[in-house]
Amino acid sequence: MFPSQSKIKRQIYHLINVHQMSEAAIRPHFFLTGPSGSGKSFLTKQVCQSLEIPFFEVNAAQLTAEGLSGNSLSKAMRPLREHWNTPNVCFVDEFDKLFQRNGEQTENFRSIVQDEFLHVLEAKNASIFTDYGKYEPIKVENTMFIFAGAFSGQKIESIDELKAAGLRTEFVGRVPLVFATTQVTLPEMYTALPKTDLFNQYLRVYPEIRKTDALREIKKIMESQAKQADIGVRLISSATHQFFMKDV
């Protein structure tokens, strides 16, 4: 959709395609860095859909250490039960949050969660917490992991930079690749706006609104919002909702 994302999309496609073509014999786990709203999850999901490879997402910032109340890794990986026998992709969003230091107790449990990810990367099976309150061993050898994060706006494009940001050395051998998305420009978002499903669905609901008028006004909202906060490609849907819902 965005010209500036064509290279990173090709890179993601190549990595996931190798994983699929090798029937998971090759699992090129990698880190995907880039500004918030630069399409890390969107691009990966789009590639997985085009390759018809199962995709599920885990939010690392919401994980708790195993045994504590909350959403542990064994619970977050429940979707794996449906896809254990085929190559699949696990997208770990906000992985960089596990590096942030907010007090000794918080740091301790985040270190534990990193250990749990390391165990899953090395293991043939992962323990998944089922709906019946029991743990079930599920094959994890077919799963390719993508660890994504914005890293507080830092430009991270290498393993050394990841280590400087707080990445544990143990991860380097298991996840040796780093790729980065770039922020999408406002002109690119203007070009993409009329092609979005959300915009065209709104036009079908409000046939009395002229397309050219809607585009002009939404672009004004996008320009104004972009000066206030950098939310990346989310700006398109935010401004679209604001325009069509302004008189409700």
Side-chain angles (χ1 to χ4, degrees):
M1 182 182 289
F2 305 109
S4 64
Q5 303 287 40
S6 59
K7 180 180 178 180
I8 185 63
K9 186 174 181 179
R10 286 197 306 271
Q11 291 171 325
I12 295 172
Y13 182 94
H14 175 70
L15 291 159
I16 295 176
N17 189 45
V18 166
H19 174 58
Q20 185 182 50
M21 294 296 289
S22 70
E23 297 182 347
I26 301 173
R27 295 191 296 160
H29 311 301
F30 64 94
F31 293 101
L32 185 59
T33 70
S36 179
S38 59
K40 294 183 290 294
S41 176
F42 175 77
L43 289 170
T44 304
K45 192 179 298 183
Q46 202 174 55
V47 167
C48 287
Q49 288 174 344
S50 69
L51 291 171
E52 298 183 343
I53 188 169
F55 167 99
F56 69 99
E57 193 167 334
V58 171
N59 190 309
Q62 298 174 355
L63 293 178
T64 57
E66 200 64 48
L68 300 179
S69 61
N71 191 35
S72 63
L73 184 58
S74 67
K75 294 176 183 176
M77 292 188 65
R78 281 177 180 173
L80 186 59
R81 290 184 296 170
E82 301 174 30
H83 310 300
W84 63 269
N85 63 339
T86 185
N88 65 84
V89 169
C90 177
F91 186 89
V92 184
D93 199 13
E94 297 196 89
F95 185 69
D96 54 312
K97 297 297 190 294
L98 295 179
F99 306 155
Q100 293 180 348
R101 297 176 178 175
N102 293 313
E104 185 177 348
Q105 184 177 1
T106 303
E107 190 175 346
N108 283 341
F109 95 71
R110 285 178 170 165
S111 179
I112 292 170
V113 174
Q114 288 186 62
D115 284 336
E116 291 169 359
F117 271 114
L118 284 168
H119 174 73
V120 169
L121 287 168
E122 295 174 335
K124 292 183 178 181
N125 299 292
S127 292
I128 305 299
F129 193 77
T130 68
D131 298 329
Y132 304 102
K134 296 182 179 180
Y135 289 92
E136 179 183 351
I138 298 293
K139 185 176 180 180
V140 75
E141 285 183 306
N142 288 329
T143 304
M144 174 179 166
F145 287 87
I146 300 171
F147 296 95
F151 291 88
S152 302
Q154 300 176 65
K155 189 175 181 180
I156 304 285
E157 297 180 304
S158 71
I159 287 292
D160 287 341
E161 289 169 330
L162 279 171
K163 289 173 70 176
L167 175 69
R168 293 259 296 276
T169 303
E170 295 90 331
F171 266 95
V172 176
R174 299 167 183 84
V175 190
L177 304 171
V178 184
F179 297 91
T181 57
T182 56
Q183 193 62 281
V184 177
T185 66
L186 204 54
E188 284 183 299
M189 286 190 268
Y190 289 159
T191 302
L193 171 62
K195 305 172 188 176
T196 62
D197 289 339
L198 181 64
F199 177 75
N200 288 290
Q201 286 166 359
Y202 263 125
L203 286 179
R204 285 192 286 271
V205 173
Y206 296 100
E208 71 277 10
I209 297 179
R210 293 176 58 191
K211 183 176 181 178
T212 53
D213 292 340
L215 287 172
R216 183 181 63 252
E217 295 304 315
I218 293 172
K219 287 177 182 178
K220 288 181 182 178
I221 296 172
M222 290 171 67
E223 184 179 10
S224 176
Q225 276 196 333
K227 294 176 181 177
Q228 299 171 32
D230 187 3
I231 60 173
V233 294
R234 301 183 186 96
L235 185 63
I236 298 175
S237 59
S238 174
T240 302
H241 284 305
Q242 284 192 42
F243 169 74
F244 284 103
M245 296 286 100
K246 64 183 178 180
D247 296 325
V248 174

